[in-house]
Amino acid sequence: MSIDTRDSFTGKFGVIAAAAGSAVGLGNIWRFPYVVGENGGGAFLLVYILFILAIGIPVMMSELIIGRRAQKNVFGAFKALAPKHPYFIIVGIMGVGAAFMILAFYSVVAGWTLEYTYLAVSNNLLTKTSSELSVFFSEFSQSTTGPVIWMVVFMFLTGAIVIGGVQKGIERYTKILMPVLFIIIVILCIKSATLDGAGKGFSFLFKPDFSKVTGKVILEALGQAFFSLSIGMGVIATYGSYIQKKENLFTTAVSVSFADTLIAVLAGVAIFPAVFAFGIDPSSGPGLVFETLPNVFNHMAGGYFFSVAFFLLLVIAALTSSVSLLEVVVAYFAEELGMKRTVATVIATIAITLFGLLAVFSSEMFNFFDKTSSNILLPLGGILISVFVGWVLGKLQVKDELSAHGGKVRMIGLLMIILKIIAPLAIGLVFLNGIGII
Ligand code: PHE
């Protein structure tokens, strides 16, 4: 891919698969359950879904509009679309910063997933009891050699795919493998739902207890919505720039958000009944999935096969997301700083890998990267993106882009009100309230 001949996705399914590939990842299967667990369950889930519908989908549409209209990476996009408002490139700067932070801990968790794939293949997972699994996770995640090696392997794979370019690298994998992951999760749900004591898990996930809702819980739900949809930092805008003019951006945003939320909820259904059935603490943090699911594999027919397939596909889901994060940095290096794409990829991959070492060596840094990116950088990016599309681009341009130059656009009035007023105000209030300022 070069500056003058931009790559593009080949068709409707390719676009949705690639954007969904970015959205669906560790955020759905690792982060969503652990954050739900830490924030009290059902009520969090409701607030989360509300944010996806009212803010997530409009912001995702905005990013797609920005990217496709400008045909550039986030930095170039703001400059090209609004030369009179150069300060909006702050979104791009924050986006590159967020990509660094997210990849730093994301690659560590993906590394854990590689370790679990290895354990599953070598049949060292199904032999452990529930308490052995918990001990193993905490010892492993606090060690250094194993996690560092796997993290480096994962970043290497990410860089290798990005070097291949968008179409060949990203689209090919997502199209086939995401549906397979979906089927495996559904099977896990069925198994988990039939465990003894599963009922408690269902009440935890689906029976809202509103006394648990605090300002911090609401901010966590908003942050998780942004993280899971890959919005607020330019990933979706960058992908938008590869989408052909004939594609419908409304349908794309709605389908991707729907698929993403469905997979997160299914991951919750696969995990929480098992959490209660095996007496695990739902608020045990980032290790939740790794401590819980092997127990389910342990109790099911074909456990070996399913455990190998599940962790392997989770690695692949993580790759289709990490690739989108690295792509933001590489597109910036290549298109704004004029580096060759290969050089840009190598430099970005090495720099981020070094940064990621911080998250391996210190759990404080890990948590800092995790929470700062989701709860601060992405929501702030979301405010700027909505303001930009709502006020700077304005209704005429939005309409033109959504209809691919002419034709009818559904719910444009509602979309404009959300982008101009509701989203910036709501995100701002949730943010200030969540960090304790109001
Ligand atoms: N949405 C991805 C996931 O759920 C993570 C991600 C966040 C990717 C932000 C890109 C940008 O795993």
Side-chain angles (χ1 to χ4, degrees), residues 21-28 102 106 224 226-231 233 235 260 317-318 321-322 324-325 378:
S22 167
V24 176
L26 297 171
N28 308 61
I102 294 174
Y106 205 84
Q224 174 62 24
F226 270 80
F227 184 83
S228 194
L229 294 180
S230 302
I231 55 176
M233 55 164 293
V235 160
D260 187 71
S321 303
S322 61
S324 74
L325 285 157
L378 302 184

PDB file of all heavy atoms in Angstrom, residues 21-28 102 106 224 226-231 233 235 260 317-318 321-322 324-325 378, ligand 1:
ATOM      1  N   GLY A  21     -13.625  -7.230  13.073  1.00  0.00           N
ATOM      2  CA  GLY A  21     -12.379  -7.859  13.524  1.00  0.00           C
ATOM      3  C   GLY A  21     -11.634  -6.955  14.479  1.00  0.00           C
ATOM      4  O   GLY A  21     -11.043  -7.403  15.457  1.00  0.00           O
ATOM      5  N   SER A  22     -11.673  -5.650  14.205  1.00  0.00           N
ATOM      6  CA  SER A  22     -11.046  -4.707  15.124  1.00  0.00           C
ATOM      7  C   SER A  22     -11.822  -4.640  16.429  1.00  0.00           C
ATOM      8  O   SER A  22     -11.257  -4.662  17.517  1.00  0.00           O
ATOM      9  CB  SER A  22     -10.977  -3.310  14.501  1.00  0.00           C
ATOM     10  OG  SER A  22     -10.642  -2.367  15.490  1.00  0.00           O
ATOM     11  N   ALA A  23     -13.144  -4.580  16.334  1.00  0.00           N
ATOM     12  CA  ALA A  23     -13.962  -4.408  17.535  1.00  0.00           C
ATOM     13  C   ALA A  23     -13.940  -5.665  18.405  1.00  0.00           C
ATOM     14  O   ALA A  23     -13.732  -5.592  19.618  1.00  0.00           O
ATOM     15  CB  ALA A  23     -15.395  -4.059  17.136  1.00  0.00           C
ATOM     16  N   VAL A  24     -14.135  -6.815  17.778  1.00  0.00           N
ATOM     17  CA  VAL A  24     -14.203  -8.052  18.563  1.00  0.00           C
ATOM     18  C   VAL A  24     -12.803  -8.530  18.889  1.00  0.00           C
ATOM     19  O   VAL A  24     -11.986  -8.744  17.998  1.00  0.00           O
ATOM     20  CB  VAL A  24     -14.954  -9.150  17.789  1.00  0.00           C
ATOM     21  CG1 VAL A  24     -14.927 -10.457  18.569  1.00  0.00           C
ATOM     22  CG2 VAL A  24     -16.384  -8.711  17.522  1.00  0.00           C
ATOM     23  N   GLY A  25     -12.533  -8.659  20.165  1.00  0.00           N
ATOM     24  CA  GLY A  25     -11.200  -9.106  20.547  1.00  0.00           C
ATOM     25  C   GLY A  25     -11.167  -9.391  22.030  1.00  0.00           C
ATOM     26  O   GLY A  25     -12.186  -9.771  22.626  1.00  0.00           O
ATOM     27  N   LEU A  26     -10.009  -9.176  22.622  1.00  0.00           N
ATOM     28  CA  LEU A  26      -9.877  -9.407  24.058  1.00  0.00           C
ATOM     29  C   LEU A  26     -10.837  -8.521  24.838  1.00  0.00           C
ATOM     30  O   LEU A  26     -11.239  -8.846  25.938  1.00  0.00           O
ATOM     31  CB  LEU A  26      -8.441  -9.124  24.485  1.00  0.00           C
ATOM     32  CG  LEU A  26      -7.395 -10.040  23.861  1.00  0.00           C
ATOM     33  CD1 LEU A  26      -5.987  -9.535  24.163  1.00  0.00           C
ATOM     34  CD2 LEU A  26      -7.565 -11.461  24.386  1.00  0.00           C
ATOM     35  N   GLY A  27     -11.198  -7.390  24.240  1.00  0.00           N
ATOM     36  CA  GLY A  27     -12.135  -6.477  24.896  1.00  0.00           C
ATOM     37  C   GLY A  27     -13.460  -7.161  25.216  1.00  0.00           C
ATOM     38  O   GLY A  27     -14.062  -6.894  26.254  1.00  0.00           O
ATOM     39  N   ASN A  28     -13.920  -8.032  24.353  1.00  0.00           N
ATOM     40  CA  ASN A  28     -15.191  -8.710  24.573  1.00  0.00           C
ATOM     41  C   ASN A  28     -15.050  -9.897  25.511  1.00  0.00           C
ATOM     42  O   ASN A  28     -15.906 -10.145  26.340  1.00  0.00           O
ATOM     43  CB  ASN A  28     -15.740  -9.261  23.244  1.00  0.00           C
ATOM     44  CG  ASN A  28     -15.787  -8.206  22.177  1.00  0.00           C
ATOM     45  OD1 ASN A  28     -14.752  -7.658  21.805  1.00  0.00           O
ATOM     46  ND2 ASN A  28     -16.959  -7.901  21.696  1.00  0.00           N
ATOM     47  N   ILE A 102      -2.719   1.165  24.679  1.00  0.00           N
ATOM     48  CA  ILE A 102      -3.564  -0.022  24.601  1.00  0.00           C
ATOM     49  C   ILE A 102      -2.730  -1.225  24.177  1.00  0.00           C
ATOM     50  O   ILE A 102      -2.776  -2.283  24.794  1.00  0.00           O
ATOM     51  CB  ILE A 102      -4.752   0.194  23.628  1.00  0.00           C
ATOM     52  CG1 ILE A 102      -5.691   1.258  24.199  1.00  0.00           C
ATOM     53  CG2 ILE A 102      -5.509  -1.109  23.402  1.00  0.00           C
ATOM     54  CD1 ILE A 102      -6.828   1.658  23.275  1.00  0.00           C
ATOM     55  N   TYR A 106      -2.439  -4.750  25.929  1.00  0.00           N
ATOM     56  CA  TYR A 106      -3.172  -5.707  25.093  1.00  0.00           C
ATOM     57  C   TYR A 106      -2.258  -6.856  24.670  1.00  0.00           C
ATOM     58  O   TYR A 106      -2.642  -8.022  24.691  1.00  0.00           O
ATOM     59  CB  TYR A 106      -3.699  -4.974  23.863  1.00  0.00           C
ATOM     60  CG  TYR A 106      -4.917  -5.585  23.217  1.00  0.00           C
ATOM     61  CD1 TYR A 106      -6.190  -5.292  23.689  1.00  0.00           C
ATOM     62  CD2 TYR A 106      -4.798  -6.438  22.128  1.00  0.00           C
ATOM     63  CE1 TYR A 106      -7.324  -5.827  23.086  1.00  0.00           C
ATOM     64  CE2 TYR A 106      -5.921  -6.976  21.523  1.00  0.00           C
ATOM     65  CZ  TYR A 106      -7.182  -6.662  21.999  1.00  0.00           C
ATOM     66  OH  TYR A 106      -8.297  -7.201  21.406  1.00  0.00           O
ATOM     67  N   GLN A 224     -15.661   0.993  28.743  1.00  0.00           N
ATOM     68  CA  GLN A 224     -15.708  -0.336  28.136  1.00  0.00           C
ATOM     69  C   GLN A 224     -16.405  -0.278  26.776  1.00  0.00           C
ATOM     70  O   GLN A 224     -15.996  -0.946  25.828  1.00  0.00           O
ATOM     71  CB  GLN A 224     -16.410  -1.327  29.079  1.00  0.00           C
ATOM     72  CG  GLN A 224     -16.642  -2.720  28.509  1.00  0.00           C
ATOM     73  CD  GLN A 224     -15.355  -3.457  28.149  1.00  0.00           C
ATOM     74  OE1 GLN A 224     -14.278  -3.166  28.699  1.00  0.00           O
ATOM     75  NE2 GLN A 224     -15.440  -4.406  27.218  1.00  0.00           N
ATOM     76  N   PHE A 226     -16.456   2.241  24.645  1.00  0.00           N
ATOM     77  CA  PHE A 226     -15.504   2.804  23.682  1.00  0.00           C
ATOM     78  C   PHE A 226     -14.422   1.783  23.322  1.00  0.00           C
ATOM     79  O   PHE A 226     -14.089   1.587  22.161  1.00  0.00           O
ATOM     80  CB  PHE A 226     -14.854   4.073  24.252  1.00  0.00           C
ATOM     81  CG  PHE A 226     -15.622   5.314  23.923  1.00  0.00           C
ATOM     82  CD1 PHE A 226     -16.751   5.671  24.652  1.00  0.00           C
ATOM     83  CD2 PHE A 226     -15.245   6.126  22.870  1.00  0.00           C
ATOM     84  CE1 PHE A 226     -17.479   6.811  24.339  1.00  0.00           C
ATOM     85  CE2 PHE A 226     -15.958   7.271  22.539  1.00  0.00           C
ATOM     86  CZ  PHE A 226     -17.080   7.617  23.278  1.00  0.00           C
ATOM     87  N   PHE A 227     -13.881   1.149  24.355  1.00  0.00           N
ATOM     88  CA  PHE A 227     -12.803   0.188  24.117  1.00  0.00           C
ATOM     89  C   PHE A 227     -13.293  -0.943  23.224  1.00  0.00           C
ATOM     90  O   PHE A 227     -12.648  -1.313  22.241  1.00  0.00           O
ATOM     91  CB  PHE A 227     -12.308  -0.371  25.458  1.00  0.00           C
ATOM     92  CG  PHE A 227     -11.136  -1.293  25.333  1.00  0.00           C
ATOM     93  CD1 PHE A 227      -9.854  -0.790  25.245  1.00  0.00           C
ATOM     94  CD2 PHE A 227     -11.317  -2.675  25.279  1.00  0.00           C
ATOM     95  CE1 PHE A 227      -8.761  -1.644  25.115  1.00  0.00           C
ATOM     96  CE2 PHE A 227     -10.227  -3.529  25.145  1.00  0.00           C
ATOM     97  CZ  PHE A 227      -8.956  -3.006  25.068  1.00  0.00           C
ATOM     98  N   SER A 228     -14.453  -1.479  23.573  1.00  0.00           N
ATOM     99  CA  SER A 228     -14.924  -2.658  22.863  1.00  0.00           C
ATOM    100  C   SER A 228     -15.264  -2.342  21.406  1.00  0.00           C
ATOM    101  O   SER A 228     -15.044  -3.162  20.518  1.00  0.00           O
ATOM    102  CB  SER A 228     -16.130  -3.255  23.577  1.00  0.00           C
ATOM    103  OG  SER A 228     -16.385  -4.544  23.078  1.00  0.00           O
ATOM    104  N   LEU A 229     -15.803  -1.148  21.163  1.00  0.00           N
ATOM    105  CA  LEU A 229     -16.146  -0.799  19.780  1.00  0.00           C
ATOM    106  C   LEU A 229     -14.940  -0.261  19.008  1.00  0.00           C
ATOM    107  O   LEU A 229     -15.052   0.063  17.827  1.00  0.00           O
ATOM    108  CB  LEU A 229     -17.267   0.250  19.755  1.00  0.00           C
ATOM    109  CG  LEU A 229     -18.646  -0.173  20.273  1.00  0.00           C
ATOM    110  CD1 LEU A 229     -19.628   0.987  20.178  1.00  0.00           C
ATOM    111  CD2 LEU A 229     -19.188  -1.368  19.492  1.00  0.00           C
ATOM    112  N   SER A 230     -13.789  -0.144  19.653  1.00  0.00           N
ATOM    113  CA  SER A 230     -12.575   0.414  19.010  1.00  0.00           C
ATOM    114  C   SER A 230     -12.760   1.873  18.592  1.00  0.00           C
ATOM    115  O   SER A 230     -12.194   2.301  17.586  1.00  0.00           O
ATOM    116  CB  SER A 230     -12.167  -0.366  17.755  1.00  0.00           C
ATOM    117  OG  SER A 230     -11.935  -1.705  18.019  1.00  0.00           O
ATOM    118  N   ILE A 231     -13.582   2.622  19.333  1.00  0.00           N
ATOM    119  CA  ILE A 231     -13.819   4.005  18.902  1.00  0.00           C
ATOM    120  C   ILE A 231     -13.141   5.030  19.813  1.00  0.00           C
ATOM    121  O   ILE A 231     -12.735   4.715  20.922  1.00  0.00           O
ATOM    122  CB  ILE A 231     -15.328   4.333  18.829  1.00  0.00           C
ATOM    123  CG1 ILE A 231     -16.012   4.030  20.167  1.00  0.00           C
ATOM    124  CG2 ILE A 231     -15.983   3.580  17.696  1.00  0.00           C
ATOM    125  CD1 ILE A 231     -17.487   4.411  20.191  1.00  0.00           C
ATOM    126  N   MET A 233     -10.401   6.924  18.935  1.00  0.00           N
ATOM    127  CA  MET A 233      -8.965   7.138  18.725  1.00  0.00           C
ATOM    128  C   MET A 233      -8.533   7.033  17.276  1.00  0.00           C
ATOM    129  O   MET A 233      -7.358   7.117  16.987  1.00  0.00           O
ATOM    130  CB  MET A 233      -8.178   6.123  19.527  1.00  0.00           C
ATOM    131  CG  MET A 233      -8.577   4.708  19.213  1.00  0.00           C
ATOM    132  SD  MET A 233      -7.376   3.539  19.800  1.00  0.00           S
ATOM    133  CE  MET A 233      -5.999   3.941  18.747  1.00  0.00           C
ATOM    134  N   VAL A 235      -9.075   4.440  15.012  1.00  0.00           N
ATOM    135  CA  VAL A 235      -8.982   3.141  14.349  1.00  0.00           C
ATOM    136  C   VAL A 235     -10.083   3.014  13.301  1.00  0.00           C
ATOM    137  O   VAL A 235      -9.841   2.669  12.137  1.00  0.00           O
ATOM    138  CB  VAL A 235      -9.099   1.977  15.369  1.00  0.00           C
ATOM    139  CG1 VAL A 235      -9.487   0.680  14.682  1.00  0.00           C
ATOM    140  CG2 VAL A 235      -7.791   1.795  16.115  1.00  0.00           C
ATOM    141  N   ASP A 260     -20.492  -6.939  17.980  1.00  0.00           N
ATOM    142  CA  ASP A 260     -19.561  -6.761  19.096  1.00  0.00           C
ATOM    143  C   ASP A 260     -20.271  -6.967  20.434  1.00  0.00           C
ATOM    144  O   ASP A 260     -19.754  -7.645  21.323  1.00  0.00           O
ATOM    145  CB  ASP A 260     -18.957  -5.348  19.021  1.00  0.00           C
ATOM    146  CG  ASP A 260     -17.866  -5.156  20.049  1.00  0.00           C
ATOM    147  OD1 ASP A 260     -16.793  -5.766  19.873  1.00  0.00           O
ATOM    148  OD2 ASP A 260     -18.094  -4.433  21.039  1.00  0.00           O
ATOM    149  N   ALA A 317      -8.497 -13.442  17.261  1.00  0.00           N
ATOM    150  CA  ALA A 317      -9.371 -12.280  17.478  1.00  0.00           C
ATOM    151  C   ALA A 317      -8.550 -11.111  18.024  1.00  0.00           C
ATOM    152  O   ALA A 317      -8.752  -9.958  17.657  1.00  0.00           O
ATOM    153  CB  ALA A 317     -10.497 -12.638  18.443  1.00  0.00           C
ATOM    154  N   ALA A 318      -7.602 -11.433  18.901  1.00  0.00           N
ATOM    155  CA  ALA A 318      -6.738 -10.386  19.461  1.00  0.00           C
ATOM    156  C   ALA A 318      -5.871  -9.786  18.353  1.00  0.00           C
ATOM    157  O   ALA A 318      -5.639  -8.575  18.305  1.00  0.00           O
ATOM    158  CB  ALA A 318      -5.868 -10.954  20.580  1.00  0.00           C
ATOM    159  N   SER A 321      -7.535  -7.246  16.194  1.00  0.00           N
ATOM    160  CA  SER A 321      -7.677  -5.965  16.887  1.00  0.00           C
ATOM    161  C   SER A 321      -6.336  -5.247  17.005  1.00  0.00           C
ATOM    162  O   SER A 321      -6.239  -4.043  16.756  1.00  0.00           O
ATOM    163  CB  SER A 321      -8.243  -6.163  18.293  1.00  0.00           C
ATOM    164  OG  SER A 321      -9.472  -6.832  18.244  1.00  0.00           O
ATOM    165  N   SER A 322      -5.287  -5.992  17.353  1.00  0.00           N
ATOM    166  CA  SER A 322      -3.986  -5.343  17.551  1.00  0.00           C
ATOM    167  C   SER A 322      -3.473  -4.785  16.224  1.00  0.00           C
ATOM    168  O   SER A 322      -2.836  -3.734  16.170  1.00  0.00           O
ATOM    169  CB  SER A 322      -2.974  -6.325  18.145  1.00  0.00           C
ATOM    170  OG  SER A 322      -2.770  -7.410  17.277  1.00  0.00           O
ATOM    171  N   SER A 324      -5.301  -3.484  13.954  1.00  0.00           N
ATOM    172  CA  SER A 324      -5.973  -2.203  13.703  1.00  0.00           C
ATOM    173  C   SER A 324      -5.355  -1.094  14.537  1.00  0.00           C
ATOM    174  O   SER A 324      -5.297   0.064  14.111  1.00  0.00           O
ATOM    175  CB  SER A 324      -7.474  -2.322  13.970  1.00  0.00           C
ATOM    176  OG  SER A 324      -7.756  -2.380  15.353  1.00  0.00           O
ATOM    177  N   LEU A 325      -4.881  -1.439  15.726  1.00  0.00           N
ATOM    178  CA  LEU A 325      -4.225  -0.433  16.572  1.00  0.00           C
ATOM    179  C   LEU A 325      -2.885  -0.021  15.980  1.00  0.00           C
ATOM    180  O   LEU A 325      -2.551   1.162  15.892  1.00  0.00           O
ATOM    181  CB  LEU A 325      -4.002  -1.002  17.980  1.00  0.00           C
ATOM    182  CG  LEU A 325      -5.250  -1.090  18.865  1.00  0.00           C
ATOM    183  CD1 LEU A 325      -5.076  -2.136  19.952  1.00  0.00           C
ATOM    184  CD2 LEU A 325      -5.551   0.264  19.495  1.00  0.00           C
ATOM    185  N   LEU A 378     -10.072   7.538  25.312  1.00  0.00           N
ATOM    186  CA  LEU A 378     -11.100   7.243  24.305  1.00  0.00           C
ATOM    187  C   LEU A 378     -12.347   8.121  24.467  1.00  0.00           C
ATOM    188  O   LEU A 378     -12.835   8.685  23.476  1.00  0.00           O
ATOM    189  CB  LEU A 378     -11.461   5.751  24.300  1.00  0.00           C
ATOM    190  CG  LEU A 378     -10.315   4.771  24.040  1.00  0.00           C
ATOM    191  CD1 LEU A 378     -10.833   3.341  23.960  1.00  0.00           C
ATOM    192  CD2 LEU A 378      -9.555   5.116  22.766  1.00  0.00           C
TER     193      LEU A 378
HETATM  194  N1  PHE B   1     -11.960  -3.287  20.488  1.00  0.00           N
HETATM  195  C1  PHE B   1     -10.820  -4.122  20.673  1.00  0.00           C
HETATM  196  C2  PHE B   1     -11.205  -5.290  21.537  1.00  0.00           C
HETATM  197  O1  PHE B   1     -12.302  -5.349  22.013  1.00  0.00           O
HETATM  198  C3  PHE B   1      -9.686  -3.347  21.305  1.00  0.00           C
HETATM  199  C4  PHE B   1      -9.399  -2.073  20.615  1.00  0.00           C
HETATM  200  C5  PHE B   1      -9.586  -0.879  21.283  1.00  0.00           C
HETATM  201  C6  PHE B   1      -8.972  -2.061  19.294  1.00  0.00           C
HETATM  202  C7  PHE B   1      -9.366   0.338  20.648  1.00  0.00           C
HETATM  203  C8  PHE B   1      -8.752  -0.871  18.661  1.00  0.00           C
HETATM  204  C9  PHE B   1      -8.951   0.332  19.327  1.00  0.00           C
HETATM  205  O2  PHE B   1     -10.440  -6.165  21.784  1.00  0.00           O
END
